[in-house]
């Protein structure tokens, strides 16, 4: 079995992006900038945002976090997004989710200029992705896609099973694979006989949030298995795939942690640089 070392692949990508940022600085005398809006004090969100800022700074991006208390009014956030949309030093804007209940997520996402939408959640980008056009792509599925392409550059005709249909993971993942001419099945909580569906996959992507749901006898021999899940359990963080047993049948498998997670962050950096490049056109 080929262990897909997301940490190593992400580090290689980060090095290349750092070189790209250096070239941008020299050529344009400008620095691509990422601004993250963090609302409230949820511990995981604070950790994610801190990691994003650290990684952005490491490759030489300008990085800023705007923090608001959890009772901030929606209009104040919308006004700030307008300000950032008009700020030429800001290439990418990310509003960390989840948001407090009184703030309308859809309204917030739709307010971000699609050209600065580093998360790829704006309906304009979602539409472009599903139409097969160039678009900003959500960071986690983009990271999964790049890992899959490392293992198997030609995906045409492969059967891909995506477990989970969230806007964050499952749906954009399916669109990326469809664009690569895979035959894609999207499964979810109402899917009948998930095991049977999975067992047909040359590629299986699990983005569910159920610890070790996917077992060895769900997986076709020599399939590529990508585990998006991050689940806290008594034995520590585990994915959606039963790693030990699936590693005996899969051709390639991502570990948790150290698989998809590091790719998510590096794809955010990549998206920020792409947004900067768009701003030059
Ligand atoms: P989500 O929004 O909760 O979506 C979960 C999906 O799984 C839903 O489509 C749901 O179906 C489906 N599902 C639930 N139970 C199922 C079952 N028994 N069989 C088949 N499908 C089932 O979750 P998410 O945001 O996509 O995240 C999924 C996992 O990825 C979580 O563990 C999360 O922590 C992790 N994650 C990791 C990263 C990373 O960087 N590695 C980034 C983001 C998220 P319905 O639509 O029918 O409800």
């Amino acid at each position: 079995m080929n262990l897909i070392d997301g940490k190593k692949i992400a580090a290689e990508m980060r090095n290349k992006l750092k070189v790209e940022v250096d070239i941008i600085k020299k050529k344009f005398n400008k620095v691509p900038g990422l601004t993250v809006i963090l609302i409230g004090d949820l511990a995981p969100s604070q950790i994610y945002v801190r990691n994003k800022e650290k990684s952005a700074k490491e490759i030489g991006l300008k990085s800023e976090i705007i923090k608001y208390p959890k009772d901030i009014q929606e209009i104040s956030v919308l006004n700030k997004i307008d300000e950032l949309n008009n700020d030429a030093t800001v290439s990418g804007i990310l509003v960390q989710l989840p948001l407090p209940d009184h703030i309308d997520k859809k309204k917030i996402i739709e307010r971000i200029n699609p050209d600065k939408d580093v998360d790829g959640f704006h309906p304009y980008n979602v539409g472009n992705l599903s139409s097969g056009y160039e678009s900003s792509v959500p960071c986690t599925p983009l990271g999964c896609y790049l890992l899959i392409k490392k293992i198997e550059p030609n995906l045409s005709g492969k059967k891909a099973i995506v477990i989970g249909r969230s806007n964050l993971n499952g749906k954009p993942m399916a669109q990326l694979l469809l664009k690569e001419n895979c035959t894609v099945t999207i499964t979810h909580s109402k899917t009948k006989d998930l095991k049977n569906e999975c067992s047909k996959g040359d590629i299986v992507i699990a983005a569910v949030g159920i610890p070790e749901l996917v077992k060895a006898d769900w997986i076709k021999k020599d399939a590529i298995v990508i585990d998006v899940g991050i689940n806290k359990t008594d034995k520590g963080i585990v994915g959606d795939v039963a790693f030990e047993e699936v590693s005996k049948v899969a051709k390639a498998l991502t570990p948790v942690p150290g698989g998809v997670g590091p790719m998510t962050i590096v794809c955010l950096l990549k998206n920020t640089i792409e947004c900067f490049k768009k701003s030059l056109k």
Side-chain angles (χ1 to χ4, degrees):
M1 195 268 309
N2 183 349
L3 183 77
I4 308 174
D5 190 344
K7 223 171 153 179
K8 185 166 161 240
I9 296 168
E12 287 163 5
M13 264 182 79
R14 247 195 329 271
N15 289 340
K16 285 191 187 148
L17 293 175
K18 190 174 182 316
V19 172
E20 202 175 344
V21 173
D22 288 343
I23 292 170
I24 287 171
K25 281 182 186 167
K26 280 200 191 107
K27 196 164 167 194
F28 300 102
N29 199 23
K30 284 181 180 171
V31 185
L34 172 67
T35 298
V36 177
I37 297 180
L38 174 64
I39 305 169
D41 49 13
L42 284 179
S45 294
Q46 293 194 14
I47 295 168
Y48 293 145
V49 166
R50 222 179 297 135
N51 288 341
K52 286 168 186 172
E53 186 192 34
K54 187 169 162 272
S55 305
K57 285 193 170 152
E58 271 169 12
I59 66 155
L61 297 178
K62 180 169 101 53
S63 174
E64 180 193 24
I65 304 176
I66 297 171
K67 289 185 184 169
Y68 289 120
K70 62 174 179 290
D71 57 357
I72 183 83
Q73 287 199 346
E74 184 183 88
I75 187 68
S76 306
V77 183
L78 291 171
N79 288 340
K80 176 51 83 176
I81 292 173
D82 288 342
E83 199 185 295
L84 297 171
N85 282 339
N86 291 317
D87 183 341
T89 68
V90 176
S91 320
I93 304 167
L94 182 156
V95 180
Q96 183 65 42
L97 302 177
L99 298 175
D101 291 343
H102 68 282
I103 297 184
D104 183 347
K105 182 173 88 175
K106 186 168 178 285
K107 228 178 181 177
I108 295 289
I109 289 173
E110 288 182 1
R111 194 66 159 244
I112 297 171
N113 176 348
D115 287 341
K116 295 193 177 192
D117 170 32
V118 278
D119 255 342
F121 294 159
H122 192 289
Y124 177 85
N125 284 316
V126 175
N128 273 344
L129 178 63
S130 65
S131 301
Y133 302 145
E134 199 191 305
S135 71
S136 191
V137 177
C139 303
T140 302
L142 178 59
C144 296
Y145 166 80
L146 294 173
L147 292 178
I148 296 167
K149 288 282 281 182
K150 273 246 168 207
I151 302 294
E152 184 61 68
N154 181 7
L155 299 177
S156 185
K158 302 277 180 205
K159 187 149 181 55
I161 313 295
V162 180
I163 319 177
R165 57 173 162 182
S166 70
N167 293 333
L168 178 69
N169 290 311
K171 284 184 197 149
M173 186 74 246
Q175 294 296 352
L176 287 168
L177 293 169
L178 196 57
K179 220 171 157 181
E180 287 287 323
N181 298 320
C182 287
T183 302
V184 183
T185 301
I186 305 178
T187 65
H188 46 78
S189 68
K190 307 293 184 292
T191 296
K192 289 191 178 130
D193 203 352
L194 183 61
K195 174 181 169 181
N196 179 44
E197 292 297 338
C198 277
S199 66
K200 298 174 197 160
D202 303 306
I203 302 161
V204 175
I205 297 102
V208 188
I210 300 180
E212 301 180 327
L213 173 76
V214 178
K215 305 287 191 274
D217 60 355
W218 294 29
I219 297 297
K220 189 161 109 175
K221 192 173 174 326
D222 288 338
I224 298 172
V225 181
I226 304 291
D227 191 350
V228 181
I230 301 177
N231 306 294
K232 264 191 192 160
T233 69
D234 294 344
K235 58 176 185 179
I237 302 279
V238 302
D240 292 341
V241 175
F243 182 86
E244 284 306 323
E245 53 179 277
V246 171
S247 68
K248 296 191 174 90
V249 284
K251 174 166 90 177
L253 170 63
T254 55
V256 177
V260 173
M263 291 300 288
T264 297
I265 293 203
V266 81
C267 285
L268 173 65
L269 309 180
K270 179 175 161 53
N271 282 354
T272 304
I273 295 170
E274 293 302 324
C275 286
F276 172 83
K277 288 189 203 159
K278 252 183 251 164
S279 74
L280 296 173
K281 285 179 188 163

